[in-house]
Amino acid sequence: MKYLVGAVELIHSVDSPELMDAISRRAVSLGIVQDVLLEVNIGGEAAKSGFAPQEVENAAAQAKEMDHVRVRGLMTIPPVAAEPHGNLAYFEKMRWLYVDINAKIYDNKMEYLSMGMSGDFADAIRCGSNMIRVGTAIFGARDYTK
């Protein structure tokens, strides 16, 4: 993390108060404001990191008090869907979290709702996503045998 702060425009996966504090301390030492997205574990999956949906509003409020961290939005990677459109409920829940937090805490100044990947980006966009990850669609599936 210490090599990212100040070297990237936007850190996409701030998943804990501890990481947010570490980013803030590093940004203070560099004299900058680091833009971040708060990661939400929208599916409550044990194998994934991120703020629980019921915790993210508090995390956003804590971040707003930090002079050297600026929350630009929320991001999530929902559970793998077993059927087409299987992530719509997660995307809709994220949209409402984003709208609520953006209005209550950030005066509608957050810009990004990052959700959706190669297999479900169209549904994510319909639910308000304006940042997607489509590496598989561009580069093909990863080869995990290497």
Side-chain angles (χ1 to χ4, degrees):
M1 179 283 310
K2 73 178 187 176
Y3 299 110
L4 291 178
V5 176
V8 298
E9 188 172 322
L10 181 65
I11 297 175
H12 290 239
S13 55
V14 175
D15 62 357
S16 69
E18 295 80 17
L19 180 56
M20 200 163 40
D21 287 339
I23 290 169
S24 178
R25 285 191 308 275
R26 180 70 174 149
V28 166
S29 74
L30 295 172
I32 63 164
V33 175
Q34 180 63 60
D35 289 339
V36 303
L37 300 180
L38 299 180
E39 181 177 356
V40 181
N41 185 347
I42 197 67
E45 296 175 279
K48 288 186 180 169
S49 59
F51 294 98
Q54 64 273 17
E55 298 171 342
V56 72
E57 183 176 331
N58 187 48
Q62 289 174 355
K64 182 144 183 166
E65 299 301 315
M66 297 177 171
D67 293 333
H68 293 271
V69 171
R70 179 173 42 223
V71 174
R72 302 294 300 277
L74 305 178
M75 73 80 64
T76 195
I77 300 174
V80 175
E83 57 192 54
H85 312 293
N87 282 328
L88 276 172
Y90 295 114
F91 293 150
E92 288 172 357
K93 187 173 183 179
M94 277 296 295
R95 177 185 61 210
W96 292 117
L97 281 171
Y98 173 81
V99 167
D100 190 48
I101 291 168
N102 202 9
K104 287 194 321 196
I105 299 172
Y106 287 96
D107 301 318
N108 295 312
K109 292 182 181 158
M110 284 195 316
E111 293 180 63
Y112 302 114
L113 179 55
S114 175
M115 57 185 189
M117 297 171 73
S118 294
D120 58 12
F121 70 89
D123 287 338
I125 291 169
R126 276 192 287 280
C127 291
S129 180
N130 59 8
M131 186 177 286
I132 56 174
R133 293 168 299 283
V134 291
T136 300
I138 296 170
F139 300 109
R142 292 182 185 170
D143 180 0
Y144 291 101
T145 62
K146 294 180 182 179

